């Protein structure tokens, strides 16, 4: 159904003038009366057309809609009257519900696009739950990309505690969650505590087990290290004494008992590496580190998650380096880490990781930097490429003004970007 809104129609939005129907929108006690015009609504929505002009047309002058938020309904009506879409983070999900209910595809698509652009680890689990409810497969796929790559951040977010039980089970069974199992276990306990509060139950181990049901047995507890289990799950009080005993025996005994928990470690995500040099070399007194910055700019043609950098090490035997790595966008620091790595004296690259993978948007230049302190003589890259195809992702490289140690597109340090895609 195609509409041709005009400026005159826009003037009639939320206007009592010539209104021939009123909606009482929202639950009792928090409802709002909204005037409207049947013809304009019917032209823009097949549901409204059936409501007003179909065989079972409404004849009442007031129509109650208790399941739609007033703010979302006004956004829907404004679009039907004027083609204008005003979306905000706190109303977009309710607006998507209204757009789906009244079959307004363009508004629903705008809501999904808005959600995709605002998607991050702290809201990914909630949006996954909603995307499944609204049957939006593209949004569901984007949610999984974030949850997989930034699993620890997603599982530790407040949003994770707000999801429904079925979504919890789906997340906990996910093979590609890129985190340790003790993080999964702790997240499940946090969810159980929140669910007890929602149901008005006292927060006890028995009640937490009850609200979790079979979800507890989806956590791959035996894949934790013995130390992780002993310091975490074994002291949580949510496992029975018999379960705790059996798991300890599973770790230590020759004859292992049968367990109800999955025994196979998650696959997680395999990191990919973009190598920007065609060769490496070293020459005496050529490449030195004295607290100066090696830096390069890059852009990608698809959204990815930067996990760390591959760096060159010593060209004269085994050596330890201290290094500060950093990722910036338009001068703003997105991630940094101060750590150490040991070079074995070969031309291999050595991985240095950020604490959490960082989402990087397409067609935007980012800056990665490394400040090394250690053996001054090092390998360095040569024959650098301005464009590198890595799987389905194309990287472009530019020199960075932050670089004060000689690194650029053609040669230098930071030979690899480590990422998930």
């Amino acid at each position: 159904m195609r509409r041709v809104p005009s400026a005159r129609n826009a003037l009639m939005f939320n206007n009592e003038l010539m209104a021939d129907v009123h909606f009482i929108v929202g639950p009792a006690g928090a409802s709002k009366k909204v005037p409207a015009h049947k013809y304009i609504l019917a032209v823009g929505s097949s549901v409204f057309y059936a409501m007003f002009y179909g065989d079972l047309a409404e004849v009442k002058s007031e129509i109650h809609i208790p399941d739609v938020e007033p703010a979302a309904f006004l956004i829907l009506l404004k679009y039907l009257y004027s083609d204008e879409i005003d979306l905000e983070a706190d109303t977009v999900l309710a607006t998507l519900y209204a757009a789906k209910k009244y079959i307004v595809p363009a508004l629903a698509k705008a809501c999904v696009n808005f959600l995709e652009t605002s998607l991050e680890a702290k809201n990914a689990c909630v949006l996954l739950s909603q995307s499944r409810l609204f049957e939006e497969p593209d949004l569901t796929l984007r949610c999984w990309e974030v949850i997989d790559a930034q699993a620890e951040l997603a599982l530790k977010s407040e949003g994770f505690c707000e999801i429904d039980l079925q979504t919890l089970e789906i997340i906990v069974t996910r093979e590609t969650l890129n985190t340790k199992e003790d993080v999964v276990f702790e997240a499940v306990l946090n969810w159980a505590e929140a669910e007890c509060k929602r149901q008005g139950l006292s927060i006890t181990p028995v009640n937490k087990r009850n609200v979790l049901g079979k979800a507890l047995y989806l956590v791959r507890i035996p894949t934790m290290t013995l130390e992780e289990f002993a310091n975490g799950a074994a002291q949580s009080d949510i496992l029975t004494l018999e379960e705790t005993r059996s798991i300890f025996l599973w770790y230590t005994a020759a004859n292992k008992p049968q367990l109800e928990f999955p025994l196979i470690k998650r696959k997680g995500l395999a990191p990919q590496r973009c190598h920007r040099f065609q060769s490496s070399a070293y020459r005496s007194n050529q490449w030195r580190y004295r607290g100066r910055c090696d830096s390069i700019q890059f852009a990608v043609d698809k959204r990815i998650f930067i996990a760390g950098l591959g760096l060159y090490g010593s060209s004269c035997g085994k050596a330890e380096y201290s290094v500060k790595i950093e990722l910036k966008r338009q001068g703003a620091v997105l991630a940094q880490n101060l750590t150490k790595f040991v070079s074995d004296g070969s031309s291999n690259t050595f991985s240095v990781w950020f604490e959490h993978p960082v989402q990087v948007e397409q067609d935007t230049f980012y800056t990665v930097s490394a400040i090394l302190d250690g053996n001054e003589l090092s390998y360095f890259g040569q024959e650098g490429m301005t464009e590198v195809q890595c799987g389905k992702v194309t990287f472009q490289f530019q020199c960075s003004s932050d670089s004060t140690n000689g690194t650029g597109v053609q040669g230098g340090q930071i030979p690899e970007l480590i990422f998930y895609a």
Side-chain angles (χ1 to χ4, degrees), residues 168-182:
L168 172 80
E169 292 174 350
I170 291 170
I171 292 174
V172 175
T173 56
R174 183 80 171 172
E175 188 68 30
T176 44
L177 283 183
N178 200 41
T179 191
K180 295 163 66 177
E181 204 64 26
D182 59 332

Side-chain angles (χ1 to χ4, degrees), residues 234-245:
Q235 299 183 45
S236 68
D237 292 330
I238 199 169
L239 301 177
T240 66
L241 288 175
E242 180 59 32
E243 286 169 341
T244 303
R245 175 181 175 276

Side-chain angles (χ1 to χ4, degrees), residues 98-111:
K100 289 277 190 175
K101 176 171 181 170
Y102 293 102
I103 312 181
V104 184
L107 180 59
K109 182 174 174 55
C111 291

Side-chain angles (χ1 to χ4, degrees), residues 288-362:
R288 293 178 177 272
Y289 301 114
R290 295 192 180 120
R292 292 191 292 263
C293 180
D294 289 290
S295 185
I296 195 74
Q297 286 189 313
F298 73 95
V300 288
D301 64 344
K302 291 181 176 62
R303 184 186 291 111
I304 64 169
F305 298 85
I306 291 291
L309 307 178
L311 301 177
Y312 288 124
S314 168
S315 59
C316 49
K318 184 176 179 180
E320 182 178 79
Y321 287 88
S322 296
V323 60
K324 179 183 179 182
I325 60 171
E326 196 169 67
L327 174 66
K328 295 193 295 187
R329 177 181 179 180
Q330 297 176 344
V333 177
L334 303 179
Q336 59 182 205
N337 193 20
L338 181 61
T339 185
K340 297 178 183 291
F341 72 91
V342 176
S343 162
D344 62 6
S346 72
S347 60
N348 294 333
T349 58
F350 302 91
S351 301
V352 182
W353 304 88
F354 292 112
E355 184 178 2
H356 302 290
V358 183
Q359 183 167 293
V360 164
E361 301 297 333
Q362 65 187 53

Side-chain angles (χ1 to χ4, degrees), residues 189-234:
L189 288 193
N190 291 339
W191 182 91
E193 185 172 319
E195 183 65 14
C196 285
K197 291 177 182 177
R198 282 190 288 269
Q199 295 188 22
L201 301 172
S202 56
I203 300 170
T204 65
V206 171
N207 284 339
K208 286 194 282 189
R209 283 182 69 101
N210 287 339
V211 298
L212 281 169
K214 68 176 184 179
L216 176 62
Y217 296 99
L218 300 176
V219 184
R220 306 184 185 193
I221 291 176
T223 69
M224 299 178 190
T225 65
L226 177 56
E227 183 180 4
E228 287 168 349
F229 174 70
N231 291 331

Side-chain angles (χ1 to χ4, degrees), residues 1-228:
M1 185 171 292
R2 185 173 177 82
R3 308 181 336 280
V4 186
S6 69
R8 287 186 292 276
N9 283 346
L11 289 172
M12 302 304 288
F13 165 65
N14 203 18
N15 193 333
E16 288 285 355
L17 183 63
M18 295 190 290
D20 54 359
V21 67
H22 288 80
F23 294 94
I24 310 301
V25 187
S31 61
K32 182 180 179 67
K33 189 173 183 179
V34 179
H37 307 81
K38 293 180 179 180
Y39 170 74
I40 295 175
L41 271 56
V43 169
S45 161
S46 59
V47 174
F48 282 127
Y49 177 85
M51 183 183 294
F52 300 134
Y53 301 107
D55 294 338
L56 301 174
E58 293 274 4
V59 295
K60 295 179 289 188
S61 60
E62 285 190 353
I63 298 173
H64 289 258
I65 309 178
D67 60 330
V68 176
E69 291 183 13
F73 192 74
L74 286 170
I75 293 169
L76 170 69
L77 260 57
K78 186 173 185 179
Y79 173 72
L80 294 178
Y81 278 78
S82 67
D83 260 352
E84 292 182 28
I85 300 176
D86 294 325
L87 298 176
E88 295 182 4
D90 57 350
T91 56
V92 64
L93 284 171
T95 305
L96 177 58
Y97 175 77
K100 289 277 190 175
K101 176 171 181 170
Y102 293 102
I103 312 181
V104 184
L107 180 59
K109 182 174 174 55
C111 291
V112 171
N113 290 341
F114 183 96
L115 290 168
E116 286 185 358
T117 58
S118 61
L119 178 61
E120 51 188 333
K122 67 181 181 182
N123 63 10
C125 295
V126 171
L127 293 183
L128 175 69
S129 178
Q130 297 297 323
S131 69
R132 293 178 54 251
L133 176 66
F134 294 132
E135 297 180 336
E136 287 290 344
D138 290 343
L139 180 57
T140 300
L141 181 62
R142 277 287 296 120
C143 289
W144 279 126
E145 289 175 1
V146 173
I147 293 168
D148 281 343
Q150 298 180 307
E152 183 170 349
L153 291 174
L155 295 179
K156 288 184 175 181
S157 69
E158 291 182 9
F160 180 81
C161 294
E162 299 172 9
I163 60 178
D164 59 279
L165 178 59
Q166 187 178 17
T167 303
L168 172 80
E169 292 174 350
I170 291 170
I171 292 174
V172 175
T173 56
R174 183 80 171 172
E175 188 68 30
T176 44
L177 283 183
N178 200 41
T179 191
K180 295 163 66 177
E181 204 64 26
D182 59 332
V183 173
V184 179
F185 181 81
E186 189 65 33
V188 167
L189 288 193
N190 291 339
W191 182 91
E193 185 172 319
E195 183 65 14
C196 285
K197 291 177 182 177
R198 282 190 288 269
Q199 295 188 22
L201 301 172
S202 56
I203 300 170
T204 65
V206 171
N207 284 339
K208 286 194 282 189
R209 283 182 69 101
N210 287 339
V211 298
L212 281 169
K214 68 176 184 179
L216 176 62
Y217 296 99
L218 300 176
V219 184
R220 306 184 185 193
I221 291 176
T223 69
M224 299 178 190
T225 65
L226 177 56
E227 183 180 4
E228 287 168 349

